[in-house]
Amino acid sequence: MLTPLTLLVPPASPPSLFSFNRFSHFPFLPTSPPPPPPPLTDLLRVVSRRLVLATKTQSITTMAAQEEECKGNVKAQLAKLFEVSLKVTVPNEADVDPLIAACTGKFGDYQCNNAMGLWSKIKGKGTQFRGPPAVGEAIKNNLPTSEMIDSCSVAGPGFVNVVLSKNWMAKSIQMMLIEGIDTWAPQPPVKTAVVDFSSPNIAKEMHVGHLRSTIIGDTLARMLEFSKVKVLRRNHVGDWGTQFGMLIEFLFEKFPNFEDATETAIGDLQAFYKASKQRFDSDPAFKERAQQAVVRLQGGEEKYRRAWAQICEISRTEFHKVYQRLGVHLEEKGESFYNPYIPGVIEGLTKQGLVEESQGARVIFIEGINIPLIVVKSDGGFNYASTDLAALRYRLNEEKAEWIIYVTDVGQQQHFDMVFKAAKRAGWLPQGDNYPKASHVGFGLVLGEDGKRFRTRNTEVVRLVDLLDEAKNRSKAALIERGKGEEWTEEEIESTADAVGYGAVKYADLKNNRLTNYTFNFDQMLNDKGNTAVYLLYAHARICSIIRRSGKDVEELKNKGTLVLEHKDERDLGLHLLQFAEVVEEACTNLLPNVVCDYLYSLSEIFSKFYSNPECKVIGSDKETSRLLLCEATAVVMRKCFNLLGITPIYKI
């Protein structure tokens, strides 16, 4: 009698940010079919077949528990199945990760693309396979049975195409409706992340560059928060430096009793800054007093600290107006916060032999880069590099961040690259792309319609408050023009104008790959046709209207009704809904919000095709319950996409 087999399959550490757990190696499994062996008895052949069968049966049991780790992520669930198959197909090839991708052709929904790569590794090793197609056939044949797969086929040079089961798809979507969209969230291995974004300079106006940093950073923070990561939203404001001597001295001169000066008394903070800068450049005596004021401020003299704090507070009030309109929350930890830590950091780096003297300054040389990273200027002062190194050290040691993300314009790419490489030389960060790690998220320029940097007619930087108010006012005017002023309350008009106006500005930015420049155009971003926030918000409102007009209680339908995906357009919509989790995973991994925008726009287009098809009639059809559930699932996923993008959905138009 054969002894029952017990197969233990401990998971290995994940190879990347959102990867699934990998099965351990099966050293005792034969290949299928095996290379020509010594003659076997019939009994040994039976044992061999039972080993393979036991592996497949056990893998299903193991994966049933592991599916909870990637619920909603179809690609990850398929990868688990193909990992078992790959272990059986090529047991002597270690660490073969399944290459799963959504199909772009007509042969299936997903495909496994391992055959060609495996063939290049095993040919010449006495393999029984005769090319990639044979490898693909073996991978297909060794797949464990699963309710999620309807059929498989092999095409071309070994691509294994998978058609998902309609019943499994429908069941997965309905479970999401019952359990909530959060069950489809990615599960990264990092627990804590810092997202450093917005970061305006005190006493200077927030401009469109800060708008991009604020919008992109907020979306990245939201995606990580959805993925159950604790996110420290950091506003690294420029609140410490030589310009404060100039500002403080000008404040003393203009307001001898400066503590009585209010935001109204100072007036436009940008104008105040310009006036002080003009005085600094033209009056040597004032310049000398301003330089002394810096020394007194940094020395901790009380009067200067109070003046500095007042200027910072007036700036914060201005910043808050922008953040309030955008619905963005940050915790300020500016340059001044890290200033006390800089000397200790520089001393530690010096003891490690990283800091060298160069032309009177103290620098760190970075391999492959011609210029050094200056950490102490020739006059003994600190700079951005000093502060950023101190901040990075603090975030790693004190805040225990495993991923630190900096959102600034692409022009600062080299600076952060040098800071990160210095941190790796110091041993703060591991080599390669392992965690903990730091990432720079660069973005391009906002252009005007003339193709140049976006400015007002008098070449001044655009005030963000004015820009956002303009977007809202245009949105409100469009609603009134459509007669909503007579149908809706003033509160409904205002809230919808907020959602559409601010949402339009955000989406116009986020839908572009962040590395590219984009042209700011109110008419385009507020258009209700095409790939705009207005179109998407209206599409969501229409879905809500369909559900309202049915008169049915959707919450009751979720638990008592049944979702089916019989028609092709129903199935196409269901498949796209199921790709939500992997899309968010991709957007997080690559730090690209436009991936979510592309998905959201495609979802609205696919829904429109489904709903406009007479064969997919919703209200009054014999499949009304199922199609209402499909409508609700679409609305739920759209709302979560809006939430990730920082856009407030609207429910009626």
Side-chain angles (χ1 to χ4, degrees):
M1 180 179 292
L2 293 173
T3 304
L5 293 169
T6 302
L7 307 184
L8 300 178
V9 200
S13 58
S16 62
L17 175 60
F18 292 95
S19 64
F20 40 84
N21 286 331
R22 295 161 51 193
F23 292 106
S24 65
H25 184 50
F26 290 81
F28 49 84
L29 289 178
T31 54
S32 178
L40 290 172
T41 65
D42 289 343
L43 175 60
L44 286 176
R45 289 193 180 94
V46 170
V47 171
S48 177
R49 285 196 298 272
R50 288 185 181 180
L51 276 167
V52 174
L53 178 62
T55 302
K56 290 188 176 184
T57 305
Q58 181 274 342
S59 65
I60 298 167
T61 306
T62 304
M63 285 184 295
Q66 290 178 333
E67 278 184 3
E68 292 298 312
E69 298 173 9
C70 54
K71 184 184 290 187
N73 191 321
V74 179
K75 189 185 291 187
Q77 291 183 58
L78 285 173
K80 288 179 179 293
L81 293 171
F82 276 97
E83 184 146 26
V84 174
S85 173
L86 290 167
K87 291 293 185 184
V88 176
T89 305
V90 284
N92 296 322
E93 296 297 326
D95 299 324
V96 179
D97 292 324
L99 304 176
I100 310 299
C103 277
T104 55
K106 59 184 179 181
F107 300 109
D109 301 318
Y110 287 84
Q111 62 187 34
C112 174
N113 299 329
N114 283 87
M116 290 182 67
L118 280 176
W119 171 247
S120 67
K121 293 174 70 174
I122 63 177
K123 66 180 179 180
K125 293 184 179 180
T127 177
Q128 78 281 6
F129 298 116
R130 294 295 177 265
V135 178
E137 285 289 346
I139 293 171
K140 181 192 73 140
N141 294 336
N142 288 326
L143 267 177
T145 303
S146 171
E147 65 169 339
M148 72 183 296
I149 297 179
D150 180 72
S151 63
C152 286
S153 61
V154 178
F159 300 126
V160 183
N161 296 300
V162 174
V163 176
L164 298 176
S165 159
K166 291 187 293 186
N167 291 339
W168 178 85
M169 291 168 63
K171 187 191 302 182
S172 298
I173 294 168
Q174 190 154 359
M175 285 306 296
M176 179 276 288
L177 285 174
I178 293 169
E179 298 177 354
I181 189 72
D182 286 355
T183 58
W184 281 7
Q187 296 184 2
V190 296
K191 294 180 180 179
T192 303
V194 168
V195 182
D196 180 327
F197 65 107
S198 193
S199 307
N201 287 318
I202 294 293
K204 290 187 178 180
E205 204 74 67
M206 287 183 74
H207 54 73
V208 288
H210 296 123
L211 179 68
R212 291 214 77 183
S213 177
T214 304
I215 291 171
I216 294 168
D218 180 56
T219 295
L220 296 178
R222 286 170 179 268
M223 290 194 299
L224 288 166
E225 287 161 349
F226 174 59
S227 304
K228 312 293 192 301
V229 176
K230 177 185 177 183
V231 178
L232 306 178
R233 295 161 159 260
R234 293 289 178 253
N235 199 3
H236 189 91
V237 297
D239 65 349
W240 199 249
T242 55
Q243 78 271 24
F244 280 97
M246 174 185 79
L247 291 166
I248 289 169
E249 196 59 35
F250 193 69
L251 179 65
F252 289 165
E253 193 173 89
K254 193 171 183 180
F255 300 100
N257 299 318
F258 72 91
E259 287 173 313
D260 296 329
T262 63
E263 181 184 353
T264 305
I266 290 178
D268 187 327
L269 198 56
Q270 183 75 356
F272 184 83
Y273 181 91
K274 283 186 176 180
S276 65
K277 181 70 166 67
Q278 186 177 11
R279 185 73 188 282
F280 183 86
D281 292 338
S282 62
D283 186 337
F286 177 84
K287 182 176 182 178
E288 186 175 344
R289 292 200 304 275
Q291 290 169 339
Q292 287 301 312
V294 175
V295 176
R296 292 180 175 184
L297 170 64
Q298 295 181 350
E301 196 167 319
E302 184 61 26
K303 177 183 176 183
Y304 288 81
R305 283 296 181 110
R306 290 201 309 271
W308 168 77
Q310 184 162 345
I311 293 170
C312 289
E313 193 56 39
I314 292 171
S315 259
R316 288 190 192 100
T317 302
E318 290 300 308
F319 299 160
H320 180 68
K321 293 176 182 177
V322 173
Y323 298 140
Q324 188 177 40
R325 284 162 172 76
L326 293 174
V328 171
H329 305 284
L330 297 106
E331 181 184 359
E332 182 181 308
K333 271 190 168 65
E335 293 174 359
S336 63
F337 177 85
Y338 302 105
N339 196 64
Y341 297 93
I342 294 176
V345 168
I346 301 299
E347 182 182 357
L349 293 171
T350 302
K351 287 180 178 178
Q352 287 183 270
L354 270 66
V355 178
E356 303 177 38
E357 296 287 333
S358 177
Q359 298 180 16
R362 301 174 67 191
V363 306
I364 298 175
F365 287 99
I366 307 296
E367 185 178 356
I369 300 178
N370 294 331
I371 58 173
L373 183 69
I374 300 173
V375 294
V376 182
K377 296 186 293 184
S378 57
D379 64 3
F382 300 129
N383 59 5
Y384 287 129
S386 322
T387 305
D388 285 333
L389 284 167
L392 179 58
R393 184 72 168 155
Y394 181 89
R395 290 162 176 175
L396 289 167
N397 282 10
E398 302 301 321
E399 297 179 324
K400 309 299 182 186
E402 296 151 285
W403 198 8
I404 306 166
I405 299 165
Y406 297 80
V407 187
T408 74
D409 64 86
V410 291
Q412 297 186 48
Q413 176 67 54
Q414 186 181 64
H415 166 75
F416 282 105
D417 184 43
M418 294 174 74
V419 169
F420 300 160
K421 285 179 177 176
K424 288 182 178 181
R425 280 193 64 193
W428 301 354
L429 294 172
Q431 297 297 325
D433 200 36
N434 300 314
Y435 293 93
K437 71 176 181 179
S439 302
H440 177 249
V441 175
F443 54 82
L445 298 174
V446 182
L447 306 177
E449 294 183 54
D450 58 359
K452 299 178 181 178
R453 189 188 292 265
F454 188 44
R455 296 180 183 275
T456 58
R457 290 179 183 174
N458 61 356
T459 73
E460 295 294 331
V461 172
V462 178
R463 293 181 74 240
L464 291 195
V465 171
D466 295 341
L467 183 147
L468 294 170
D469 286 348
E470 175 74 6
K472 176 186 175 177
N473 291 338
R474 288 185 181 223
S475 173
K476 184 176 179 179
L479 290 171
I480 293 172
E481 186 178 333
R482 295 175 60 174
K484 299 303 177 184
E486 299 172 3
E487 300 175 23
W488 293 359
T489 65
E490 182 61 26
E491 183 180 354
E492 288 175 322
I493 290 281
E494 289 293 323
S495 62
T496 304
D498 280 352
V500 175
Y502 303 150
V505 172
K506 289 185 177 185
Y507 189 81
D509 187 311
L510 294 170
K511 74 176 182 180
N512 301 283
N513 184 307
R514 56 176 169 77
L515 292 170
T516 63
N517 302 335
Y518 83 94
T519 301
F520 193 96
N521 184 300
F522 275 123
D523 292 335
Q524 288 180 4
M525 66 178 58
L526 291 168
N527 196 328
D528 61 3
K529 295 179 178 62
N531 189 10
T532 67
V534 184
Y535 168 76
L536 295 168
L537 287 166
Y538 284 4
H540 172 263
R542 288 189 188 98
I543 297 173
C544 296
S545 174
I546 294 165
I547 296 170
R548 281 196 304 271
R549 284 191 287 112
S550 74
K552 299 294 177 64
D553 183 342
V554 173
E555 294 305 314
E556 185 177 338
L557 295 182
K558 288 178 187 178
N559 293 288
K560 295 183 178 178
T562 302
L563 177 63
V564 294
L565 301 171
E566 292 298 332
H567 193 279
K568 180 183 182 301
D569 287 351
E570 292 175 317
R571 191 185 186 283
D572 288 347
L573 179 56
L575 178 62
H576 199 70
L577 289 170
L578 285 168
Q579 290 171 341
F580 166 78
E582 64 204 52
V583 165
V584 177
E585 175 182 311
E586 179 189 348
C588 277
T589 301
N590 299 317
L591 302 171
L592 291 173
N594 65 291
V595 171
V596 175
C597 296
D598 293 342
Y599 171 84
L600 178 57
Y601 180 60
S602 295
L603 177 59
S604 67
E605 294 284 89
I606 294 169
F607 177 84
S608 179
K609 182 184 176 187
F610 151 75
Y611 185 68
S612 60
N613 189 333
E615 296 178 12
C616 295
K617 180 182 176 183
V618 178
I619 299 175
S621 73
D622 58 353
K623 293 185 173 62
E624 180 181 84
T625 294
S626 172
R627 288 171 181 166
L628 283 172
L629 289 172
L630 194 53
C631 288
E632 175 66 8
T634 304
V636 167
V637 172
M638 287 188 78
R639 282 196 288 275
K640 179 49 69 174
C641 288
F642 286 139
N643 175 264
L644 296 178
L645 300 172
I647 296 172
T648 303
I650 60 174
Y651 293 82
K652 68 176 185 177
I653 53 173

